[in-house]
């Protein structure tokens, strides 16, 4: 099977639609403060391809690198950069207090742990695995879009059923987050153990280290499909994402 196969094309199309759906979710309303509490823990992972070990600046103020282990966690390669918008699913997920916090990985971390750390050139070997592992998002998408149910919508009971949250997390282990990445800018103090060529600052659906003609072709198809899906979603009249 080659990267031109319909299996690879189908996986890329599904992953692009998934990320587009994540990007057009609506965040919870909140009061902006000068010192917001952390909402997500970042766990930088040393990159097996370039050796970067120290992360670049986080994309938003609500990110912490140490702190409350009850927060959702995202493990990402130290050379990767994600956008604040791509983290929306993590802020909308709710989990029971007694359960382990949700844990996520970028596609690059998933690839390194599951497929291997060889050259990222023949993508077919891991696309099916990655597409299947991301389907937790498909399962939660209706709850993401509907939000937590209002108490007025609940049956008249002596007490409300628990939990009240729409997107309740029950997934075991580390789940890949459906998000594209780009090579991170160096940290202000230069704490990068490795460097990534500036030519690889462009967005990639897998990793800045994915190379070769097949990877470039699939990435172009992915980003085109993602843009089309986002455009289609936002052309819906009164889409709530346009109000935030």
């Amino acid at each position: 099977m080659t990267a031109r196969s319909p299996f690879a094309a189908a996986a890329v199309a599904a992953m692009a639609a998934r990320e587009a759906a994540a990007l057009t979710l609506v965040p919870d309303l909140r009061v902006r403060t000068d010192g917001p509490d952390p909402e997500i823990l970042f766990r930088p992972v040393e990159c097996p391809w370039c050796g970067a070990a120290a992360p670049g600046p986080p994309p938003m103020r609500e990110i912490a690198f140490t702190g409350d282990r009850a927060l959702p966690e995202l493990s990402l390669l130290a050379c990767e950069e994600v956008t604040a918008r791509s983290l929306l699913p993590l802020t909308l997920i709710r989990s029971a207090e007694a359960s382990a916090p949700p844990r996520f990985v970028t596609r690059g971390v998933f690839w390194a742990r599951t497929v291997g750390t060889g050259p990222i050139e023949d993508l077919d070997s891991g696309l099916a695995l990655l597409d299947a592992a991301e389907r937790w998002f498909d399962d939660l998408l209706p709850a993401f879009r509907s939000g937590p149910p209002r108490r007025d919508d609940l049956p008249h009971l002596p007490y409300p059923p628990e939990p009240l949250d729409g997107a309740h997390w029950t997934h075991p282990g580390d789940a890949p987050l459906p998000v594209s990445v780009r090579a991170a800018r160096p940290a202000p103090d230069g704490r990068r153990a490795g460097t990534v060529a500036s030519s690889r600052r462009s967005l990639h659906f897998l990793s800045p280290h994915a190379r070769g003609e097949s990877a470039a072709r699939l990435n172009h198809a992915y980003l085109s499909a993602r843009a089309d899906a986002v455009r289609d979603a936002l052309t819906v009249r009164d889409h709530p994402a346009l109000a935030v």
Side-chain angles (χ1 to χ4, degrees):
M1 182 170 65
T2 69
R4 296 185 178 90
S5 75
F7 303 103
V12 165
M15 292 164 62
R18 203 170 281 133
E19 183 177 2
L23 293 175
T24 53
L25 292 173
V26 180
D28 291 334
L29 294 178
R30 63 192 69 192
V31 177
R32 183 176 176 84
T33 63
D34 292 334
D37 292 331
E39 295 184 21
I40 302 170
L41 284 180
F42 268 19
R43 298 296 184 197
V45 176
E46 182 173 353
C47 179
W49 290 286
C50 72
M60 56 192 240
R61 299 183 301 162
E62 290 83 359
I63 300 296
F65 291 97
T66 60
D68 188 354
R69 295 302 298 268
L71 294 174
E73 296 182 7
L74 176 65
S75 295
L76 70 168
L77 299 178
C79 63
E80 291 180 328
E81 178 181 281
V82 299
T83 66
R85 189 82 193 180
S86 67
L87 300 174
L88 259 177
L90 277 68
T91 67
L92 296 175
I93 285 175
R94 308 291 183 261
S95 59
E97 291 185 4
S99 63
R103 298 195 311 271
F104 301 90
V105 296
T106 60
R107 290 165 171 170
V109 172
F110 177 89
W111 197 276
R113 292 177 178 176
T114 307
V115 182
T117 57
I120 309 178
E121 295 175 351
D122 181 9
L123 305 185
D124 282 345
S125 60
L127 283 176
L129 292 173
L130 182 53
D131 177 35
E134 285 185 356
R135 290 175 189 168
W136 66 266
F137 181 85
D138 304 337
D139 295 337
L140 284 184
L141 184 56
F144 279 141
R145 286 177 169 165
S146 64
R150 298 178 302 173
R151 291 182 182 269
D152 292 344
D153 296 333
L154 297 172
H156 294 289
L157 298 174
Y159 52 88
E162 296 292 342
L164 287 177
D165 307 276
H168 188 63
W169 186 252
T170 58
H171 192 286
D174 297 348
L177 187 67
V179 52
S180 299
V181 298
R182 55 169 47 95
R185 297 178 179 86
D189 58 2
R191 294 176 296 109
R192 293 292 296 278
T195 59
V196 178
S198 59
S199 62
R200 298 215 299 277
R201 279 285 297 161
S202 57
L203 204 63
H204 201 286
F205 80 106
L206 276 182
S207 165
H209 298 291
R211 303 173 183 175
E213 181 182 350
S214 295
R217 183 169 54 251
L218 286 175
N219 191 52
H220 178 76
Y222 179 98
L223 295 178
S224 296
R226 189 189 75 155
D228 289 343
V230 169
R231 187 181 305 109
D232 290 345
L234 295 182
T235 54
V236 175
R237 179 174 296 180
D238 296 330
H239 190 289
L242 296 176
V244 296

